[in-house]
Amino acid sequence: MTEQILAVLPLRGNVVFPHTLIHLEVGREKSVMAIEAAMGAGRKILLLTQRGGATEEPRSDDLYEVGTAAEIRQVGRVTGGAMRILVEGLYRVRVAEILTTGAYFSARVVPLPEQERREETEALIHSVRGKFEELSRQSKKITPEQHGAVVGAREAGRMADLIATHLNLKTEEKQSVLAAADSVSRLERVAELLGREMEIIEVERRIALRVRRQMEKTQKEYYLREQIKSIQKELGEKDERQTEAEEYRSRIREAELSPAAEEQARREIDRLEKMPPASAEGTVSRTYIDWLLAMPWQKTTEDRKDIGRCARILDQDHYGLSKIKERMLEFLAVRRLAPRSHSPIICLVGPPGTGKTSLARSVARALGREFVRVSLGGMRDEAEIRGHRRTYIGALPGRIVQGMRRAGVRNPVFLLDEIDKLQTDFRGDPAAALLEVLDPEQNSAFTDHYLEVPFDLSQVIFLTTANTADTIPGPLLDRMELIRLGGYTENEKMEIAERHLLPKQLKEHGLTRRRIGLQREVLLSVIRDYTREAGVRGLEREIARVLRKTAVKVLRREPFAPLIDVATARAMLGAPRYRYDQAAPAPEIGVAAGLAYTQTGGDLLFIEVMPLKGEGKLVLTGKLGEVMQESARAGWTYVRVHAAALGIDPDFYAHTDLHIHVPEGATPKDGPSAGITMTTAMASALARRPVRQDLAMTGEITLRGNVLPIGGVKEKVLAARRAGIKTVLLPRGNEKDLEEIPAETRQEMEFIFVEHVDAVLAAALLPALPAGETDLIGEFAPFTPETTGTPFEHGQLL
Ligand code: ADP
């Protein structure tokens, strides 16, 4: 075959085969020049495909070595200098050399010989033809003309070229066909590509078929259902299950469920539709669907934006508590400014009736949010928090989900009451479940065992309350910020009663408009004689009692004075219920007044010491806990070591036992804070020095006689004042706590801050009495339980 020199037209992303006619758009300047040159040289041009496709300015080595020599049949110009040509592929050529001298590429080429026909070529042609026919039957892309041309092809090369043009191939694949050594191997390569194409088509066909079947099935079902419906209609009857299911489905549309909940509800409704109408299973299923539909998946209330107004509402609802209100406002302000921030969970800690619950309610009111309260007291089963699985008979969601349903919105203020009374046993750990509820990282997808689909708790404001922080499970305690409410003074109680409790109770008893009131003395008497508490719950209850009896009088039209006085109130309430421990009338030997902190506030605590003949034993009675016993021993050792300095026989222990007793004997007591009181009572008994009766003390003692700070200062000081004590000895380390005490109380009383027990004894002990008088004092009835009421209900001494 002879060599030729042809102008080169580089092709991007396309391969032109011999025996094909094709339109090409030519825009590149070099290519336009190549065409012009070809037109002057017998219209012959070389179509060479670019490797990689995209280059605007291909270099000679960007071009494949095998191309198609073609004849230009038509030339036309399109806008912008580009050309549109019609070319016919003639034969394949191999490039011997690219000549880059001119403004365009030209190439020296050698035509590639085509293989002679042989027997097996016939067979190959036959087989490929068959495959192609099958393909064109399945593919809509092949026109009848194209089909005819391929089927009519007699030579392997021609057939390969035609098919390769029609197949959906990548440029490299097309080029690989064009460049194959001879016509047989070209057709073989095409057969391979054809096979792959057929497989793809087959897969597509199968998918389409499946989709169609599915659609047919749904349509068929729909059609049948419609038929059933119309038959039923014709007969004038309707399946109640269907009616029910339809009703449920329409409720789903209104209920705005979360996507997961909606899917779950639909699935359950489908199940319900198939169950026998009156089955037990149906009931379970209905309850479940009702729960899903009743939850506030999307509903929220708008928060009130005005912090000033929040402050006013908190003030309106509660007297005093200024520090606590301030902290609550800060909490609300931070939530306002950074709603997504992880604010700590606030725990209001304090004795009953100090306004923890009503404070939480007030926070909700201030924000304009709904309020729910769940009491955790005595809860010991994890399922109470997280619900029972539906497989249990009578299963229900846990208290959290129940609370959310009651709230009716997904952003309420949620109060978890009595978190300190949570218990743990074999039924699982409710505290762990609660941790998940309170954890902002996890609670956006809280899963209740019953509900099964996650519920978003992240917009809930959780508040908790506790009577004491001591029994709150550790991990929970870590997550919470404690705000302590200490208990109220008598004056505070009076204010609360007049401003809040009385108006509230008047309203509740329908007495508001009758101008009924209580004399101040009545309130004072109720506080002193009818209640013993840190909070005001009992006070409120007694006020309610007086008003209830008054309401009866109003209805019976009995005459009564609108301003109720003490005598009337007494007649209604019965005999006074409490008498507080009062300071002893005169100094005594061997009895010292300590101060205790109990769950109902503070109280006076007398400690009695009696020396007995013996051999240095210490006898402790009155249900003293371990810490308190050890504290007594420390005091005893101190007194023994410093006996001489205290004016005590240094060998007293050799012939004396000491009996220490703390009444109320039946109430357990513990804690280190009676240390200095026990020491004082011992020193008093042994040195025969009376203890000042108008003085009370509290503080822990160390072996070396140092006095360490203790807790509950406010409650203890208030109790001392109530008992008529004038002077209170406190550890130096508690000086800062005096701030908490109302100014009037501070002014009325004297406080002595001590660092060492010597100072305690110096302040508390009077000079030793002469022997005769000591005996007299020794005969004092040391203590009369009758004067103590019931102080230590929970006996925790701090
Ligand atoms: P807690 O939850 O601490 O046991 P509550 O919140 O139930 O106490 O309070 C008992 C009652 O006392 C409620 O009626 C409450 O409104 C009222 N109360 C408590 N403290 C105050 C206060 N500082 N001002 C007004 N009312 C108060």
Side-chain angles (χ1 to χ4, degrees):
M1 282 265 191
T2 49
E3 271 186 17
Q4 290 171 289
I5 297 207
L6 294 175
V8 174
L9 179 60
L11 299 179
R12 277 188 290 188
N14 198 4
V15 176
V16 175
F17 289 93
H19 319 295
T20 51
L21 264 177
I22 190 164
H23 280 284
L24 295 173
E25 292 231 343
V26 181
R28 288 185 279 190
E29 202 182 326
K30 263 189 173 177
S31 304
V32 170
M33 283 199 281
I35 290 170
E36 278 163 357
M39 291 302 285
R43 296 177 162 246
K44 275 181 105 183
I45 194 157
L46 171 60
L47 304 176
L48 263 190
T49 301
Q50 280 177 227
R51 285 181 224 275
T55 341
E56 181 72 20
E57 285 282 333
R59 289 173 313 172
S60 57
D61 52 1
D62 286 334
L63 300 170
Y64 283 113
E65 288 79 30
V66 176
T68 303
E71 184 181 318
I72 302 175
R73 288 288 196 85
Q74 276 174 21
V75 180
R77 300 232 168 227
V78 287
T79 45
M83 282 182 139
R84 191 175 156 83
I85 56 171
L86 180 68
V87 289
E88 182 185 1
L90 299 176
Y91 47 84
R92 301 184 307 141
V93 295
R94 174 176 296 285
V95 175
E97 186 187 358
I98 296 271
L99 311 164
T100 45
T101 43
Y104 53 90
F105 288 122
S106 49
R108 199 153 51 76
V109 297
V110 190
L112 287 169
E114 298 297 339
Q115 175 109 6
E116 296 296 312
R117 286 170 69 178
R118 282 196 325 243
E119 276 306 301
E120 40 190 299
T121 319
E122 263 325 303
L124 181 63
I125 290 177
H126 188 73
S127 134
V128 171
R129 186 185 292 138
K131 269 194 190 159
F132 184 78
E133 283 189 312
E134 201 182 325
L135 176 77
S136 62
R137 240 178 284 131
Q138 286 175 10
S139 164
K140 291 172 195 73
K141 287 178 215 146
I142 294 161
T143 62
E145 296 80 55
Q146 292 168 341
H147 177 244
V150 171
V151 173
R154 292 278 162 257
E155 297 135 347
R158 187 184 173 95
M159 181 175 269
D161 294 343
L162 288 172
I163 294 178
T165 309
H166 301 320
L167 286 184
N168 187 17
L169 301 178
K170 292 197 202 107
T171 311
E172 301 87 74
E173 287 165 347
K174 283 189 178 178
Q175 179 70 31
S176 75
V177 174
L178 186 72
D182 52 52
S183 46
V184 172
S185 44
R186 282 163 69 200
L187 193 54
E188 276 167 358
R189 176 84 181 115
V190 165
E192 193 183 302
L193 294 169
L194 194 57
R196 198 195 60 189
E197 183 83 359
M198 303 266 302
E199 264 168 37
I200 293 173
I201 287 179
E202 174 60 19
V203 170
E204 278 172 358
R205 194 183 62 82
R206 275 208 303 271
I207 292 174
L209 192 67
R210 212 176 303 143
V211 171
R212 202 171 65 222
R213 275 207 202 117
Q214 186 60 40
M215 274 178 50
E216 277 166 4
K217 188 169 160 237
T218 348
Q219 270 171 357
K220 191 168 138 197
E221 270 176 24
Y222 173 77
Y223 178 71
L224 288 176
R225 265 188 224 286
E226 288 300 301
Q227 269 192 332
I228 294 176
K229 270 194 213 159
S230 56
I231 290 170
Q232 278 172 337
K233 209 170 182 181
E234 210 47 48
L235 293 172
E237 64 186 32
K238 198 157 190 194
D239 186 341
E240 53 184 284
R241 280 179 292 173
Q242 252 175 6
T243 328
E244 186 183 31
E246 271 163 33
E247 222 167 82
Y248 272 133
R249 287 195 187 101
S250 75
R251 275 173 62 194
I252 285 189
R253 261 164 261 140
E254 288 152 29
E256 295 183 298
L257 307 188
S258 72
E262 177 164 346
E263 200 191 319
Q264 184 83 348
R266 286 196 187 283
R267 206 177 308 147
E268 193 65 27
I269 294 169
D270 290 347
R271 256 166 48 91
L272 179 64
E273 211 171 3
K274 297 191 190 92
M275 287 176 203
S279 66
E281 207 189 350
T283 313
V284 172
S285 182
R286 259 173 233 121
T287 317
Y288 179 60
I289 298 170
D290 285 338
W291 268 103
L292 284 175
L293 290 176
M295 293 302 291
W297 298 97
Q298 314 284 350
K299 252 210 218 141
T300 54
T301 50
E302 186 77 15
D303 277 357
R304 235 177 245 133
K305 302 274 182 290
D306 181 355
I307 278 285
R309 185 157 172 206
C310 291
R312 252 170 288 140
I313 290 181
L314 290 183
D315 273 338
Q316 259 169 34
D317 289 354
H318 291 91
Y319 172 80
L321 303 175
S322 51
K323 257 196 192 160
I324 292 148
K325 287 182 199 160
E326 207 178 300
R327 178 62 192 97
M328 294 309 288
L329 273 185
E330 285 165 20
F331 173 79
L332 297 183
V334 172
R335 290 228 30 146
R336 167 81 16 86
L337 292 176
R340 301 241 157 262
S341 75
H342 295 341
S343 35
I345 309 291
I346 287 198
C347 180
L348 300 165
V349 185
T354 43
K356 300 181 294 296
T357 312
S358 70
L359 207 57
R361 201 182 287 276
S362 186
V363 167
R365 191 165 91 90
L367 280 173
R369 288 195 177 206
E370 295 296 327
F371 177 79
V372 270
R373 172 177 168 268
V374 163
S375 176
L376 303 176
M379 205 179 270
R380 48 177 74 237
D381 188 347
E382 191 188 337
E384 287 192 62
I385 301 273
R386 219 194 252 289
H388 286 280
R389 291 187 194 287
R390 266 195 295 149
T391 40
Y392 290 97
I393 295 172
L396 274 184
R399 301 289 264 283
I400 303 296
V401 162
Q402 291 189 16
M404 292 309 290
R405 178 175 175 173
R406 247 183 297 137
V409 291
R410 63 185 187 134
N411 66 339
V413 170
F414 200 125
L415 182 72
L416 297 163
D417 227 349
E418 305 194 304
I419 202 164
D420 53 334
K421 309 271 187 317
L422 211 59
Q423 314 205 340
T424 302
D425 68 7
F426 65 95
R427 272 166 289 199
D429 183 3
L434 209 54
L435 267 178
E436 196 187 314
V437 171
L438 297 177
D439 183 354
E441 304 286 336
Q442 298 185 51
N443 69 7
S444 60
F446 172 71
T447 308
D448 182 274
H449 288 327
Y450 180 82
L451 224 48
E452 286 180 3
V453 282
F455 190 86
D456 182 0
L457 295 174
S458 62
Q459 296 192 38
V460 178
I461 293 187
F462 284 104
L463 296 174
T464 60
T465 76
N467 286 339
T468 158
D470 301 344
T471 51
I472 301 177
L476 273 176
L477 197 59
D478 285 348
R479 298 281 160 89
M480 295 194 292
E481 175 180 331
L482 304 185
I483 298 185
R484 293 185 192 273
L485 289 84
Y488 298 113
T489 65
E490 221 165 75
N491 277 346
E492 284 171 337
K493 286 185 183 177
M494 289 292 285
E495 294 295 331
I496 293 173
E498 288 193 324
R499 292 181 197 203
H500 295 278
L501 306 181
L502 191 55
K504 189 165 121 196
Q505 290 302 328
L506 281 170
K507 201 165 154 202
E508 272 178 26
H509 288 84
L511 295 171
T512 4
R513 286 204 225 118
R514 299 187 191 250
R515 299 178 187 286
I516 288 172
L518 299 183
Q519 274 183 354
R520 273 183 77 82
E521 289 73 26
V522 173
L523 293 177
L524 199 61
S525 163
V526 170
I527 292 169
R528 288 189 177 161
D529 308 327
Y530 292 90
T531 59
R532 160 161 291 190
E533 56 179 357
V536 292
R537 203 177 272 173
L539 176 57
E540 186 170 23
R541 197 171 48 230
E542 298 305 320
I543 291 175
R545 222 155 105 161
V546 171
L547 296 184
R548 205 163 52 233
K549 300 210 183 230
T550 309
V552 173
K553 284 192 182 179
V554 170
L555 288 182
R556 288 198 182 150
R557 300 183 190 284
E558 286 174 24
F560 68 96
L563 193 62
I564 296 164
D565 59 15
V566 175
T568 318
R570 288 245 157 128
M572 290 172 169
L573 297 176
R577 242 161 283 154
Y578 296 107
R579 276 175 58 199
Y580 281 100
D581 277 350
Q582 292 295 318
E588 292 180 41
I589 281 181
V591 180
L595 293 170
Y597 175 49
T598 72
Q599 286 221 339
T600 56
D603 216 324
L604 214 56
L605 173 80
F606 289 99
I607 290 179
E608 309 165 321
V609 176
M610 194 70 84
L612 305 165
K613 269 202 174 65
E615 49 204 10
K617 274 209 306 282
L618 194 58
V619 182
L620 298 163
T621 56
K623 286 222 159 184
L624 310 187
E626 217 171 296
V627 178
M628 199 161 176
Q629 292 188 25
E630 285 170 2
S631 186
R633 287 195 180 282
W636 186 79
T637 304
Y638 182 84
V639 169
R640 197 180 130 177
V641 172
H642 298 88
L646 295 171
I648 299 169
D649 169 9
D651 295 325
F652 76 88
Y653 54 92
H655 46 79
T656 313
D657 283 349
L658 281 186
H659 181 174
I660 301 188
H661 179 69
V662 187
E664 312 253 309
T667 314
K669 316 162 187 76
D670 203 0
S673 80
I676 61 169
T677 320
M678 290 191 286
T679 312
T680 305
M682 283 187 264
S684 160
L686 290 166
R688 300 180 173 242
R689 291 174 66 183
V691 186
R692 262 174 68 182
Q693 88 283 11
D694 61 344
L695 174 145
M697 63 184 82
T698 176
E700 176 173 356
I701 188 173
T702 73
L703 263 190
R704 282 171 294 160
N706 293 328
V707 180
L708 302 182
I710 42 70
V713 170
K714 180 182 177 191
E715 288 76 8
K716 288 174 173 177
V717 170
L718 294 179
R721 173 164 179 265
R722 207 165 44 205
I725 298 285
K726 298 274 165 0
T727 306
V728 177
L729 290 181
L730 291 171
R732 172 74 67 198
N734 284 109
E735 202 169 352
K736 60 178 186 337
D737 298 329
L738 224 52
E739 266 175 40
E740 296 174 15
I741 293 162
E744 31 157 19
T745 311
R746 258 185 284 167
Q747 279 157 17
E748 282 169 12
M749 300 182 78
E750 186 196 2
F751 297 94
I752 301 177
F753 293 100
V754 290
E755 284 162 39
H756 195 273
V757 74
D758 286 347
V760 174
L761 299 177
L765 298 182
L766 297 171
L769 292 183
E773 281 178 68
T774 352
D775 291 342
L776 185 73
I777 284 181
E779 280 173 17
F780 262 125
F783 216 62
T784 42
E786 176 258 319
T787 60
T788 63
T790 50
F792 309 113
E793 282 165 4
H794 294 278
Q796 171 76 350
L797 311 181
L798 292 178

